[in-house]
Each structure stands twice: as structure tokens, then as C-alpha cells.
Amino acid sequence: MRLDNKVAIITGGARGIGRATVKVFTEAGAKVIIWDLLDVAAETAKEFGAEFMKISVSDPQQVQDAVADIAQRYGKIDILVNNAGILRDRSLLKMSHKEWQDVIDVNLTGVFNCTKAVAPVMVENKYGRIITTSSVVGITGNFGQTNYTAAKGGIIAMTKTWGRELGKHGITANAVAPGYIETEMTASIPEEFREQAKKSIPVRRIGRPEDIAYAYLYLASEEAGFVNGHTLSVNGGTA
């Protein structure tokens, strides 16, 4: 599966799953533009021969301006990977409105902002791959993550809708629902819980960022042209 001459935007590409995706996509031949607020994204871009733009996905004007710039320079945007996300975990009774809104703004509205801006470019070129990061907890729910699960569940619903709306334009929209993946976001989980999680996964290991990046690669490829409106669970067989 090659991405030669494809132009791809990867949000949240500085580290973790995003960084692994930048590596996999550039190795597959894509021209990758990283959107992130972390300055370390510049190092990731340099390492893999990508481009870095400091963009907040929650700011629709920033997103629109960046899309216009990329479309002007490259004449197209073939792939959008909506990967940016944050955590503000707290149980319902303790969660503040700001903690709710911060996560919704980035993890849900940010996905809308990016897709809304990129879709017209894809429609004009009659080709596109939109891939969005959901989560297993968007399907199952999870203690202390009302905000996060709402966003990730919403992504699944939006993906189904976009698959119906955009398919006629040669654009597919799919989501990936990772299970437990070893990233900076999960590194703070106590070791005892990590071991419990590992034992609960049928393949008996915690996922790696590359496991998700290769799922993205498939969905971004021309070979996945008949996969649309789907959420692919990549979780080692966890129910």
C-alpha cells in the first residue's frame, strides 16, 4: 500500500500515534503536513521529512487559513487524519464545565473544523480519504471520561454520516477505535493497572502506536476505496 504523490494532513502528529503515522505515511511516499501545537512537532517533521504548521484544530479560522495555504501550494489534499486529542479525566460529579468543554472543543469540534475545511478541496478533486481517531471507550464508555467518551462516540456517528454524504464524490470517511496503546497519554497509568490491562487483551500485549498507524495506512490507501463509513477496532481482540 503506497501513498506516492499523496498530500496528507495529520493532526496531533508530534508524538505517540500521530508521530508513528507521520513515519509510516512518509515512508509510504506521502507528502505529510503535521498540524500540532507542540513545538516538538518541528523535530518530528524534520526527522521524517514532513512539514510542520502550528495549528489549533479548535480554531476554525486557523484551520481554514491553513487549508487554503496547502491547497494553493499543492493543488490538492488527498488525506486527512484527524488524530489530535486531549484528556481531562474526572468523574461526572467532579468534572468542571471547562474540563468538559476543553475536550469537546479539541476532540470533537476540532474534527468537525478540520473535515469541514478539507472536504471542499477533496470534492473539487473528486478524491479523498478522511480518517478519524475514535476509541474503544467511544463504544463501551469508561469511568471518569464523560467528556472523552462523548467525543469519541460522536466521531463514530459523524464518520457514518460523512460516509453517506461524501462517498459520491470519491471520498471515503472512516474511523479507527484504538484499544490500550502505549503512548505518552497512557504512560501515567500505574503499573499494576497496566499489567491487568495486558492480561485482559487476548493477544497478551499492549498496543504500539505503529499498530494504529498501519491501520491508518490501509484506510488511506487506494486499495481501501470500498471501505466507507466504518469504524475499525484495533484492540488486540478486547471485547
Side-chain angles (χ1 to χ4, degrees):
M1 292 175 289
R2 297 291 301 173
L3 301 178
D4 295 308
N5 302 314
K6 302 298 186 188
V7 177
I9 297 170
I10 299 174
T11 73
R15 59 188 186 182
I17 292 171
R19 184 180 188 278
T21 305
V22 173
K23 178 178 185 293
V24 168
F25 276 33
T26 54
E27 288 177 348
K31 171 60 184 178
V32 172
I33 301 100
I34 301 170
W35 286 0
D36 209 304
L37 288 176
L38 298 177
D39 290 333
V40 71
E43 299 174 18
T44 300
K46 183 178 180 181
E47 181 177 356
F48 299 119
E51 179 183 333
F52 168 50
M53 301 176 76
K54 195 166 189 175
I55 301 294
S56 170
V57 298
S58 63
D59 185 328
Q61 191 60 57
Q62 277 192 33
V63 170
Q64 287 282 358
D65 291 346
V67 166
D69 174 66
I70 294 167
Q72 191 277 327
R73 287 188 290 121
Y74 294 103
K76 62 176 184 173
I77 298 171
D78 300 294
I79 302 161
L80 170 65
V81 180
N82 290 305
N83 176 73
I86 62 172
L87 291 173
R88 299 289 185 269
D89 292 354
R90 203 175 300 275
S91 64
L92 172 63
L93 297 180
K94 296 179 180 178
M95 183 173 291
S96 69
H97 179 78
K98 186 176 188 306
E99 289 166 336
W100 162 267
Q101 199 62 54
D102 284 351
V103 170
I104 295 299
D105 285 348
V106 175
N107 296 16
L108 188 63
T109 305
V111 171
F112 170 82
N113 290 340
C114 294
T115 308
K116 171 73 172 173
V118 168
V121 181
M122 293 180 170
V123 168
E124 185 175 349
N125 285 282
K126 298 181 174 57
Y127 182 89
R129 298 284 185 265
I130 298 165
I131 305 152
T132 307
T133 310
S134 181
S135 171
V136 63
V137 301
I139 301 169
T140 65
N142 199 34
F143 185 93
Q145 290 193 309
T146 294
N147 47 10
Y148 190 79
T149 57
K152 295 305 184 180
I155 282 167
I156 293 172
M158 289 198 303
T159 294
K160 290 179 181 295
T161 299
W162 296 338
R164 290 177 177 271
E165 292 182 354
L166 300 174
K168 64 185 177 183
H169 299 291
I171 302 165
T172 63
N174 293 288
V176 173
Y180 193 145
I181 307 297
E182 191 72 63
T183 67
E184 290 83 354
M185 290 178 73
T186 60
S188 61
I189 297 174
E191 184 62 30
E192 60 184 290
F193 293 111
R194 292 157 64 89
E195 286 302 313
Q196 289 176 13
K198 188 186 298 185
K199 291 177 182 177
S200 72
I201 300 171
V203 299
R204 292 297 187 268
R205 71 171 175 87
I206 293 171
R208 297 183 290 266
E210 292 77 11
D211 293 319
I212 308 304
Y214 283 112
Y216 290 163
L217 176 62
Y218 167 63
L219 293 173
S221 71
E222 293 190 9
E223 289 86 346
F226 203 58
V227 181
N228 189 29
H230 180 67
T231 297
L232 175 63
S233 293
V234 183
N235 58 24
T238 305

